[in-house]
């Protein structure tokens, strides 16, 4: 099981980037505060109805559901979240019941599968981020519920889940930045190619 170093590392880097590089406003204050809350609550757990979950998971759960309700085409993105939830749960079960664990690290499979589903099913950075985070949160809960039914209790949203989530967010941000850079480069090339040129040179007086 991961010890959460990846989560803490990426979370602190994200907090620094948001604080010093984002323009001032409510969004920057909200993101900075929310990242700090996730970091502070990561080591605290709560047990309700026989299920133990981290408080950072609870914060992600509430925020992802609130943001999902504000997405355009809410019904469509809820379907995307449901597909990601099933995929996330299936990769957990498949990972431990197949030789996949001998070839791929667990964090890679848990992060890349939601990322691939996000690229295939949704458009736009925020739509992909919110819908897939909701799916990963739901998938984590569903997987723990399945384990509990076989008397294998597990902590919902432990450090393993937080590591997978922060890797998914980091990869999605990198993909979005690369796509934006590719579009910008394409626009510059098109402008250079389509720029009208003067074929008739003025004669020297």
């Amino acid at each position: 099981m991961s010890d959460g170093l990846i989560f803490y590392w990426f979370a602190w880097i994200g907090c620094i980037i948001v604080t010093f590089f984002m323009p001032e406003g409510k969004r920057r204050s909200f993101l900075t505060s929310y990242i700090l809350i996730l970091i502070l609550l990561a080591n605290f757990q709560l047990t309700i109805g026989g299920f133990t979950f981290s408080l950072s998971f609870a914060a992600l759960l509430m925020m992802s559901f609130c943001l999902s309700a504000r997405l355009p085409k809410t019904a469509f993105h809820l379907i995307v979240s449901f597909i990601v939830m099933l995929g996330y749960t299936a990769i957990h079960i498949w990972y431990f019941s197949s030789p996949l664990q001998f070839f791929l690290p667990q964090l890679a499979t848990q992060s890349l599968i939601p990322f691939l589903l996000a690229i295939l099913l949704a458009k736009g950075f925020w739509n992909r981020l919110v819908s897939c985070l909701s799916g990963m949160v739901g998938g984590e809960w569903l997987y723990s519920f399945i384990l509990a039914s076989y008397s294998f209790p597990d902590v919902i949203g432990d450090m393993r889940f937080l590591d997978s989530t922060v890797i998914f967010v980091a990869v999605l941000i990198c993909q979005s930045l690369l796509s934006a850079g590719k579009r910008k480069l394409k626009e510059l090339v098109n402008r250079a190619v389509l720029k009208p040129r003067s074929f008739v040179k003025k004669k020297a007086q």
Side-chain angles (χ1 to χ4, degrees):
M1 183 177 294
S2 177
D3 53 7
L5 289 178
I6 297 176
F7 166 72
Y8 286 120
W9 193 71
F10 276 106
W12 279 116
I13 290 178
C15 186
I16 293 172
I17 292 174
V18 170
T19 303
F20 293 102
F21 293 97
M22 281 190 67
E24 294 185 5
K26 294 183 179 179
R27 177 174 292 184
R28 188 183 75 170
S29 301
F30 170 77
L31 288 176
T32 303
S33 302
Y34 190 71
I35 294 173
L36 289 176
I37 289 173
L38 291 179
I39 294 173
L40 292 174
L41 297 180
N43 286 320
F44 293 94
Q45 298 177 356
L46 184 66
T47 301
I48 298 179
F51 291 95
T52 302
F53 55 89
S54 69
L55 295 184
S56 291
F57 175 84
L60 281 173
L61 177 68
M62 292 185 292
M63 185 54 58
S64 61
F65 285 173
C66 290
L67 293 178
S68 295
R70 302 182 62 181
L71 289 178
K73 300 180 180 179
T74 305
F76 170 77
H77 288 104
L78 285 177
I79 295 174
V80 173
S81 298
F82 181 73
I83 294 173
V84 174
M85 180 185 72
L86 295 180
Y88 184 85
T89 306
I91 199 64
H92 268 285
I93 299 173
W94 187 34
Y95 186 85
F96 290 107
S97 61
S98 69
L100 186 65
Q101 57 183 313
F102 298 107
F103 303 100
L104 291 175
Q106 185 178 6
L107 287 178
T109 56
Q110 293 174 358
S111 306
L112 293 181
I113 295 301
F115 170 75
L116 294 176
L117 291 174
I119 298 299
L120 292 174
L121 299 176
K123 294 183 179 181
F125 172 76
W126 287 107
N127 295 338
R128 290 170 175 171
L129 177 64
V130 174
S131 58
C132 286
L133 277 181
S134 301
M136 292 178 69
V137 169
E140 178 72 9
W141 193 289
L142 178 60
Y143 176 69
S144 298
F145 181 80
I146 293 174
L147 289 182
S149 65
Y150 289 98
S151 300
F152 292 111
D154 189 22
V155 178
I156 304 174
D158 56 7
M159 288 300 180
R160 165 191 51 79
F161 170 76
L162 295 177
D163 282 348
S164 302
T165 302
V166 78
I167 291 175
F168 162 74
V169 174
V171 174
L172 189 61
I173 291 174
C174 291
Q175 186 274 335
S176 179
L177 293 176
L178 289 175
S179 297
K182 181 181 178 181
R183 289 193 300 268
K184 188 67 175 179
L185 180 61
K186 187 176 180 180
E187 291 177 1
L188 293 176
V189 171
N190 290 335
R191 289 178 183 176
V193 172
L194 300 177
K195 184 178 180 180
R197 298 180 180 178
S198 178
F199 293 97
V200 180
K201 295 182 179 180
K202 294 182 178 180
K203 295 182 179 180
Q205 299 293 334

